[in-house]
Amino acid sequence: MEAPRLAHTMSSPTSPCEEVIKNLSLEAIQLCDRDGNKSQDSGIAEMEELPVPHNIKISNITCDSFKISWDMDSKSKDRITHYFIDLNKKENKNSNKFKHKDVPTKLVAKAVPLPMTVRGHWFLSPRTEYTVAVQTASKQVDGDYVVSEWSEIIEFCTADYSKVHLTQLLEKAEVIAGRMLKLSVFYRNQHKEYFDYSREHHGNAMQPSVKDNSGSHGSPISGKLEGIFFSCNTEFNTGKPPQDSPYGRYRFEIAAEKLFNPNTNLYFGDFYCMYTAYHYVILVIAPVGSPGDEFCKQRLPQLNIKDNKFLTCDEEDGVMVYHHAQDVILEVIYTDPVDLSLGTVAEITGHQLMSLSTANAKKDPSCKTCNISVGR
């Protein structure tokens, strides 16, 4: 679509995705600021009476798109040729640090019927707060623009990854999962005080807690799903859990069938790395019909417990047999409390490798292996 011919422009980003902004053309432009002051030599004519957008509405929000509409007076409405949309990330201490830098957020659209769709993964990140304001504009025969005053500024927040996006991550994770190795236990490392507290204050049971913000920024389980983290990877040469751990010198081990069996559902939760060669896959095990199961059923791709690339449970000769993927590190979230009497707690003989902890770890947004073409 045609973009404004302005006196001063910066180079706009290139993208292979022509459909990224529906109904919009993207330009890095020097427009009026939100107070209505024009940039010098901007190529925008003296302001004339054009209707000012008001009562802005944002709808159909996804992780990298939204629809926008507004009301405006009918006076001079037929002179409007373009809309200028000023989109900015709302600055706060918890903002997404991985939003792409130096990308223009001034959007230019031909005047199309409202609502219009704004879509673009290079300037929209999931689960991120933004501000938006709108101007109406009339293109003149000499290429200059007459513009209205800016509308009021409104705020909105983009959404989490949908099942469609998570399925794309799942398919990328399947590519590198590797062959399957046998396992017999799930294990959880913590400090001694953690297990003592569970015994004294929670009736000998480990309690679910809200998942931290590690992994993909758009993950729908971060900060929402309650569960208990377990590991299940084994050493290739021994078939047993490694003796080192980032999370504490005391380990709770539990037979695999006590957490993962035909009475549980398995879900894919995330795929990420932390600027390292190895990758993590988050899986969720939820007892059928439990609150955790209902949460995941609405948000996460469900896996066949007998046939998937990450963690399987099947019966052979009357015995439950378990396998895990060799080439990814599995982080398994179990959504119900777990009684310590169902397993054993013992001190590990290896080292506590704090540098390998994934607590609140941020995903590498540049990794081609574990990123998809939406906000990181």
Side-chain angles (χ1 to χ4, degrees), residues 13-249:
T14 58
S15 170
C17 303
E18 295 181 357
E19 75 285 2
V20 167
I21 309 178
K22 184 179 179 183
N23 297 328
L24 295 178
S25 61
L26 177 63
E27 287 285 325
I29 58 180
Q30 289 186 330
L31 298 175
C32 296
D33 62 28
R34 285 178 174 174
D35 295 323
N37 302 313
K38 296 189 295 293
S39 301
Q40 288 186 352
D41 301 323
S42 66
I44 297 178
E46 288 299 319
M47 188 176 297
E48 295 181 11
E49 290 293 331
L50 282 176
V52 180
H54 61 275
N55 194 24
I56 297 175
K57 300 181 182 68
I58 303 292
S59 61
N60 297 81
I61 299 172
T62 72
C63 65
D64 65 348
S65 69
F66 61 92
K67 286 188 176 181
I68 184 169
S69 63
W70 55 84
D71 298 330
M72 52 187 167
D73 296 333
S74 58
K75 180 183 177 182
S76 301
K77 189 174 180 179
D78 57 345
R79 293 176 48 233
I80 298 172
T81 61
H82 290 77
Y83 302 134
F84 295 161
I85 301 174
D86 187 14
L87 178 71
N88 289 285
K89 187 180 72 171
K90 184 180 177 182
E91 295 297 333
N92 61 71
K93 62 181 180 180
N94 296 316
S95 62
N96 177 12
K97 296 177 182 178
F98 292 118
K99 180 177 183 290
H100 299 266
K101 304 298 184 185
D102 301 321
V103 175
T105 53
K106 296 291 193 300
L107 308 178
V108 181
K110 283 190 174 180
V112 297
L114 301 177
M116 69 169 65
T117 298
V118 179
R119 179 179 292 113
H121 71 265
W122 65 80
F123 60 83
L124 284 173
S125 295
R127 200 185 281 198
T128 303
E129 293 182 323
Y130 290 91
T131 63
V132 64
V134 185
Q135 275 181 322
T136 58
S138 177
K139 188 174 183 179
Q140 309 300 293
V141 291
D142 60 0
D144 288 345
Y145 282 80
V146 174
V147 296
S148 73
E149 295 181 0
W150 282 107
S151 70
E152 75 273 22
I153 299 171
I154 68 164
E155 300 177 359
F156 70 99
C157 185
T158 47
D160 298 332
Y161 284 161
S162 67
K163 279 188 180 181
V164 172
H165 300 118
L166 288 172
T167 299
Q168 294 175 24
L169 274 181
L170 163 63
E171 291 169 351
K172 292 179 78 74
E174 288 176 334
V175 173
I176 69 162
R179 68 170 183 160
M180 303 292 278
L181 301 178
K182 279 191 174 182
L183 71 100
S184 59
V185 299
F186 291 101
Y187 55 95
R188 173 174 173 78
N189 275 69
Q190 275 288 349
H191 301 287
K192 182 176 181 295
E193 292 76 14
Y194 168 83
F195 296 110
D196 290 341
Y197 189 88
S198 296
R199 294 187 186 98
E200 296 172 11
H201 298 278
H202 293 299
N204 206 48
M206 296 183 290
Q207 299 296 314
S209 59
V210 177
K211 183 195 171 297
D212 65 11
N213 289 316
S214 60
S216 299
H217 190 69
S219 171
I221 61 177
S222 293
K224 296 181 180 179
L225 177 66
E226 293 188 357
I228 304 171
F229 261 107
F230 285 91
S231 300
C232 66
N233 289 79
T234 60
E235 292 183 323
F236 174 77
N237 56 340
T238 66
K240 296 181 179 180
Q243 278 302 309
D244 298 328
S245 171
Y247 303 111
R249 294 200 53 80

